Amino acid sequence: MTTVIPPVTLVVALLVYFAQVRRIAQCSALGFDASLLQEPSIPAYLARSVGALYVPLVLITGIALVLLWLDRRLRTRLGDPRRLRSVLRISMMVPFGALGLVAIGGVLALLGPLPRAYVELFAPFLLAVVILSVWYGNALRRAVWRKLPTSRRRALDEPGLVTTLLTGFLVALLLFAGVDGFAKVVGRGLARQVIEYPEQNTKPVLLYSKEDLQLDQADASKTTLPGGADGYHHRYEGLRLAFVDGGSYFLIPRVWASTHGKLIVLRQDGLRVEFLR
């Protein structure tokens, strides 16, 4: 019996995957392995996927709508025999235009002005554009030949179902790789914000603990609270909360340097956090 994955299940799986890619990249940029942390819940993953997918999905959808509008304009010309030649020229120019764009990107990458990170990010998208351009140019050319008189037609092979499916699958893989790269960029960017601009991207907090956390005095000032309320006997001042992930608080000390800063990871159990303004 053949099992078909429901579309909603597939979409949720993709959202969770890209959120996890972003999380792994962020943790790696901060200097530790994400596998050391407790896995977040599915809703938490879905919430984080928005930042990793919003920009590429908006761009892909916007470009697709523009291309559909252009395609509709071109196909209206097929009904006018006087415009068939111009449509034929466009069908030949589209693939060469995409190849030229890739060639320019390759030259910039080889000469050095274009950072390697940008090359790795945009390469899958550019390759997908080239494949789609070749496929669309051929489809448009076939549409033009069908409108010509029989004596002037040229024989063009129709792509088979297998060829079409493989082409679509390859484009889907390239788009998947491109979005995967963008999710990594987002994760590294979030880590860089904490590392380079802690004042703007972290929050000062008072940390209360039931047990002595044995933190260095250079990182935070400890005050013992005899008979503390709710069993919290230790208070730590000077820490800044970067983010919460996997059931842990990620904090930086009051003395922080972007080149050799210390990231303090504490389990949420037995801790209470108060935010300062």
Side-chain angles (χ1 to χ4, degrees):
M1 183 177 64
T2 303
T3 302
V4 179
I5 301 176
V8 174
T9 303
L10 181 60
V11 169
V12 171
L14 288 173
L15 292 176
V16 170
Y17 170 79
F18 289 122
Q20 188 176 41
V21 168
R22 193 216 76 172
R23 179 175 184 252
I24 292 173
Q26 181 181 7
C27 294
S28 178
L30 289 171
F32 66 96
D33 194 329
S35 63
L36 299 174
L37 303 176
Q38 178 183 342
E39 288 291 332
S41 62
I42 296 299
Y45 268 132
L46 294 178
R48 293 175 187 174
S49 67
V50 176
L53 296 176
Y54 178 76
V55 173
L57 286 183
V58 168
L59 290 177
I60 291 172
T61 304
I63 293 173
L65 290 174
V66 172
L67 293 178
L68 287 174
W69 176 78
L70 292 175
D71 175 67
R72 190 177 296 109
R73 294 292 301 271
L74 284 174
R75 292 188 181 275
T76 56
R77 296 186 177 187
L78 295 176
D80 187 351
R82 295 171 298 177
R83 295 186 173 184
L84 291 180
R85 187 177 297 275
S86 64
V87 177
L88 184 61
R89 284 197 298 265
I90 292 173
S91 71
M92 295 179 177
M93 290 170 56
V94 168
F96 288 105
L99 289 171
L101 184 63
V102 173
I104 293 173
V107 171
L108 292 176
L110 291 175
L111 295 180
L114 200 62
R116 181 178 177 181
Y118 289 142
V119 176
E120 295 176 352
L121 176 61
F122 291 111
F125 292 114
L126 289 177
L127 290 175
V129 168
V130 170
I131 294 173
L132 287 175
S133 298
V134 173
W135 179 84
Y136 179 73
N138 289 334
L140 195 59
R141 199 174 307 119
R142 284 192 295 270
V144 172
W145 293 130
R146 294 191 194 99
K147 296 294 182 178
L148 293 176
T150 307
S151 58
R152 298 177 56 188
R153 290 182 185 179
R154 295 183 183 179
L156 289 177
D157 294 333
E158 292 286 343
L161 178 61
V162 175
T163 302
T164 302
L165 291 176
L166 289 176
T167 302
F169 182 68
L170 180 57
V171 171
L173 285 179
L174 289 170
L175 293 178
F176 181 89
V179 177
D180 181 275
F182 185 82
K184 293 177 181 177
V185 170
V186 172
R188 290 192 290 265
L190 292 173
R192 192 176 301 112
Q193 289 178 359
V194 173
I195 294 171
E196 298 181 1
Y197 309 103
E199 293 291 331
Q200 293 84 359
N201 297 287
T202 61
K203 297 294 183 182
V205 294
L206 286 177
L207 183 66
Y208 292 85
S209 173
K210 296 181 178 180
E211 304 292 338
D212 189 354
L213 300 177
Q214 303 294 325
L215 296 181
D216 195 319
Q217 286 295 320
D219 298 333
S221 300
K222 184 184 77 171
T223 302
T224 302
L225 306 173
D230 300 326
Y232 293 97
H233 300 290
H234 306 277
R235 183 179 66 200
Y236 297 87
E237 301 178 60
L239 296 171
R240 301 185 67 90
L241 180 64
F243 58 94
V244 180
D245 192 323
S248 299
Y249 293 119
F250 289 76
L251 306 113
I252 61 174
R254 54 188 171 191
V255 178
W256 172 265
S258 59
T259 55
H260 55 276
K262 181 190 298 184
L263 184 67
I264 302 172
V265 183
L266 300 173
R267 294 285 302 169
Q268 289 179 286
D269 300 333
L271 298 179
R272 189 182 83 223
V273 168
E274 291 183 1
F275 290 91
L276 302 175
R277 297 185 63 182

